[in-house]
Amino acid sequence: MDESVELKKDVYWVGAVDWNIREFHGYSTSRGTTYNAYLITGDQTALVDTVKAEFFPEMISKIESLINPADIDYLVVNHLEMDHSGALPRFMEIAPKAQIIATDYGIKGLSRHYRGEWPLIKVKSGEELSLGNKTLQFLETYMLHWPDSMFTYVKEDRLLLPNDGFGQHFASYRRFDDELPSLDPVMEEAAKYFANILMPLAPLIPPLLKKVEKMGLEIEMIAPSHGIIWRSQVDRIVKAYAEWSTGVAENRALVIYDSMWGSTETMAKAIAHGMSQAGVENKLLHLRKNHYSDIIKEILTAKLLVIGSPTLNEGIFPSVAQLLAYLKGLHPMKKRGVAFGSYGWGGEAIKAVEAEMKAMGIEVLEPGLGVIYVPNDEDLENCVQLGKRLANSL
Ligand code: FEO
């Protein structure tokens, strides 16, 4: 079992690594994850967040290696979701004097999750709690990721504990960004996390970053509740968040599709070929061969979405409909696109995909391209030309 790690003097990681989780409420976690809880010891002692319920023994053994858990004075609940609060009821049994600190939404939500009678302290943005040698400052971060979410800032250490913010589903033996041979996989997972978890409320992030600046919170280290701790690359992740939250994307295209008998796939390849001929980076993504949460990560940083669906039972093919429903809830920003697909008789899917794209604010650049049954040479040339036109529109 891994051990506690000191981040700053008297501040320790006491979380757990979930190496083998491969599915997280519908999100694919091919690199596992961690649940990061932090113990701040001193004149008074606080635990910031807990871990998923089944990892309680791992968290508590790390705490016990440092102090007696019964001596903990406060449990700060930065976020109520059960990957962070699952171990809370068992923790409160062995730390009976601990007072729970949370936002108003957090306190209300706690009673809907758990039935314990615990001492509660409600905090608002800007309020502080002194532990003697450490001062915790709280910042409500409504809807990042839930209404209850907040950041905790340790003033003396310039340490930000933002829970889901800046996190990644990334399991590692290492805790800090500068201990890894490459940060690329971590940044990839940070982008995927942002795209799938935080994108719907992305417009709240730039004002939040401004608020942090206005409050004069200098940040030397960011210790999120999932994945790697940002110690040497704080600027890199903050800059990435600033870009992702304003919909900044690259001049590249995604051709996302499913296919029943290969015709829509043949069209997809011809469209991508046209884009390549026009010199625009593109990617083909078959919806039953790529997990939708990975496709969403790609969508975060691509300007152009070309979405293809065969017509099935007068409608959109199920995997395409699933992606569109999921994407709609994530409120993609500043995207453009076109629909396409093969059909036998009705061809309703093309217009239906187009309607869904418009409904979620994607600018539809031209009417969708349909082909009856199997595309012939002329059809394929039309697809290539479509790819070129789209590429040239970037
Ligand atoms: Fe990691 Fe919103 O929970």
Side-chain angles (χ1 to χ4, degrees):
M1 192 182 288
D2 38 32
E3 299 191 333
S4 65
V5 175
E6 192 170 34
L7 279 68
K8 293 275 185 182
K9 188 174 180 318
D10 299 330
V11 181
Y12 299 86
W13 175 82
V14 291
V17 182
D18 194 349
W19 288 97
N20 292 307
I21 186 170
R22 291 293 175 267
E23 196 277 331
F24 189 99
H25 61 42
Y27 176 139
S28 78
T29 47
S30 56
R31 290 187 171 109
T33 194
T34 72
Y35 312 108
N36 299 338
Y38 298 100
L39 183 70
I40 304 170
T41 62
D43 302 334
Q44 285 198 298
T45 306
L47 178 67
V48 180
D49 291 317
T50 68
V51 294
K52 207 174 181 183
E54 70 210 68
F55 290 91
F56 172 79
E58 291 194 26
M59 178 187 79
I60 216 67
S61 77
K62 290 184 186 81
I63 294 174
E64 280 168 346
S65 72
L66 298 162
I67 56 161
N68 178 355
D71 293 337
I72 293 178
D73 299 287
Y74 302 101
L75 170 61
V76 178
V77 177
N78 269 341
H79 179 29
L80 191 57
E81 195 165 5
M82 286 174 277
D83 47 332
H84 309 293
S85 73
L88 183 150
R90 285 181 72 191
F91 170 77
M92 292 306 288
E93 282 172 21
I94 61 159
K97 74 168 188 175
Q99 300 180 76
I100 295 177
I101 294 178
T103 62
D104 186 30
Y105 282 110
I107 283 173
K108 287 175 184 151
L110 263 175
S111 68
R112 297 300 307 170
H113 279 74
Y114 310 108
R115 307 289 173 242
E117 295 289 324
W118 301 308
L120 301 165
I121 301 174
K122 187 175 15 175
V123 290
K124 290 184 178 165
S125 280
E127 288 186 2
E128 295 184 0
L129 172 75
S130 174
L131 301 177
N133 56 337
K134 304 275 184 188
T135 312
L136 308 186
Q137 189 171 21
F138 306 104
L139 174 62
E140 292 166 277
T141 57
Y142 177 77
M143 293 313 294
L144 297 171
H145 162 224
W146 281 4
D148 57 279
S149 297
M150 70 172 179
F151 290 178
T152 296
Y153 178 69
V154 186
K155 285 175 96 170
E156 291 75 6
D157 298 316
R158 298 176 182 175
L159 166 66
L160 186 68
L161 306 172
N163 195 271
D164 279 342
F166 309 102
Q168 340 90 42
H169 285 313
F170 187 86
S172 175
Y173 163 74
R174 302 291 186 188
R175 301 274 69 83
F176 298 100
D177 54 4
D178 47 31
E179 294 177 322
L180 296 163
S182 165
L183 209 53
D184 291 350
V186 178
M187 286 304 294
E188 206 175 291
E189 292 302 332
K192 183 173 172 182
Y193 196 89
F194 184 97
N196 283 274
I197 305 288
L198 301 176
M199 192 153 76
L201 282 307
L204 298 177
I205 292 174
L208 176 67
L209 294 175
K210 274 208 174 72
K211 196 170 176 182
V212 167
E213 204 180 308
K214 211 170 156 188
M215 286 169 80
L217 307 189
E218 289 176 42
I219 298 170
E220 204 172 279
M221 185 184 288
I222 299 178
S225 290
H226 295 293
I228 292 297
I229 295 167
W230 305 97
R231 178 168 70 181
S232 300
Q233 300 283 335
V234 169
D235 289 349
R236 184 168 173 186
I237 188 66
V238 171
K239 185 169 174 278
Y241 262 57
E243 287 183 5
W244 296 333
S245 59
T246 48
V248 171
E250 296 152 20
N251 276 347
R252 65 190 189 98
L254 305 176
V255 185
I256 304 165
Y257 65 97
D258 207 328
S259 195
M260 292 169 72
W261 291 103
S263 291
T264 301
E265 181 159 59
T266 305
M267 292 178 73
K269 287 179 178 170
I271 293 167
H273 183 58
M275 290 171 172
S276 298
Q277 283 186 336
V280 163
E281 187 186 327
N282 58 81
K283 205 173 230 187
L284 280 166
L285 295 162
H286 187 299
L287 274 159
R288 277 178 290 152
K289 295 175 186 169
N290 294 276
H291 195 276
Y292 62 84
S293 58
D294 288 316
I295 293 179
I296 295 296
K297 190 246 324 179
E298 295 288 345
I299 288 175
L300 177 69
T301 52
K303 269 187 195 159
L304 192 57
L305 312 179
V306 192
I307 302 179
S309 173
T311 295
L312 178 69
N313 301 331
E314 302 177 20
I316 305 174
F317 196 74
S319 60
V320 184
Q322 181 196 36
L323 178 86
L324 291 168
Y326 184 57
L327 182 59
K328 194 176 186 175
L330 293 172
H331 304 307
M333 286 186 286
K334 300 179 186 170
K335 306 293 177 196
R336 302 176 214 165
V338 166
F340 71 97
S342 156
Y343 61 95
W345 42 101
E348 294 89 347
I350 300 159
K351 281 205 178 321
V353 169
E354 221 170 77
E356 286 299 315
M357 290 169 87
K358 286 179 183 166
M360 67 180 95
I362 297 174
E363 182 190 352
V364 174
L365 295 172
E366 59 177 270
L369 178 62
V371 164
I372 300 177
Y373 289 125
V374 179
N376 60 22
D377 288 348
E378 189 186 339
D379 297 323
L380 290 178
E381 182 53 28
N382 287 338
C383 291
V384 171
Q385 292 307 322
L386 172 63
K388 284 186 181 170
R389 280 197 304 284
L390 294 174
N392 290 330
S393 75
L394 285 173

